[in-house]
Amino acid sequence: MSDLPDSTEVTREQAEEAVRILLRWSGEDPQREGLLDTPKRVVKAYRDWFSGYQIDPGEYLSRTFKEVAGYDEMVVLRDIEFESHCEHHMAPIVGRAHVGYLPTNRVVGISKLARVVDAFARRFQVQEKLTAEIAQCIQEHLQPAGVAVVIDASHECMTTRGVHKRGVSMITSQMLGSFRDDARTRAEFLQFIGIHGGHR
């Protein structure tokens, strides 16, 4: 995808050296026994944590099913666990996503919705953007009557540094189509995912 960074411009050796520099900057000795293999491990971990840059999330939604006996009610997948990283401090974001859509004449395998969440989560993110990207991807590729995405996550840039507030989570939502226009549809979705009357 042309709008994503090309990680091949940086070699593995350069990435490992960057880790050594950070270790030295933090006051450590990258040559001590316990840290000798840390640069290799960190670079390998980054390949996993940020594998979303190598994925087009829309491809997961390319195969759909039309034989659904006229089903046109809400489809909801809730409690999709994910891990991401804050683009401001590179600290972990850990949470759950809830995704719903109103199919028109086709549905998608439910595992593909979870894969879309993971593909966007495995990039540097802010939660608001992550929420919008998931909803817009589903809307664009499935063309449903509406899409709803709610994310509930904790941010370690807030819990392990700065204000050090533990036990705090952030909730964001993106409602498109019928979920935005129809309060009853929106309320039904929130009830399905366990958010009702402002309480969960």
Side-chain angles (χ1 to χ4, degrees), residues 109-166:
I110 58 172
S111 69
K112 302 303 187 280
L113 297 175
R115 291 185 184 278
V116 168
V117 171
D118 276 343
F120 283 115
R122 289 179 179 270
R123 302 175 182 183
F124 285 110
Q125 284 288 5
V126 293
Q127 186 173 324
E128 296 90 339
K129 183 176 76 168
L130 174 61
T131 308
E133 285 177 333
I134 295 167
Q136 290 163 7
C137 182
I138 296 170
Q139 182 65 43
E140 177 183 348
H141 288 88
L142 296 186
Q143 296 293 305
V147 178
V149 177
V150 171
I151 292 181
D152 183 351
S154 61
H155 295 242
E156 292 198 13
C157 60
M158 180 177 173
T159 62
T160 63
R161 58 161 301 281
V163 295
H164 289 274
K165 297 299 181 186
R166 296 188 179 275

Side-chain angles (χ1 to χ4, degrees), residues 10-11 14 19 22 39 51 68 83 114 126-127 172 190 199:
V10 178
T11 67
Q14 288 173 319
V19 176
L22 284 173
S51 58
V68 292
E83 303 91 31
V126 293
Q127 186 173 324
T172 51
L190 294 175
H199 301 285

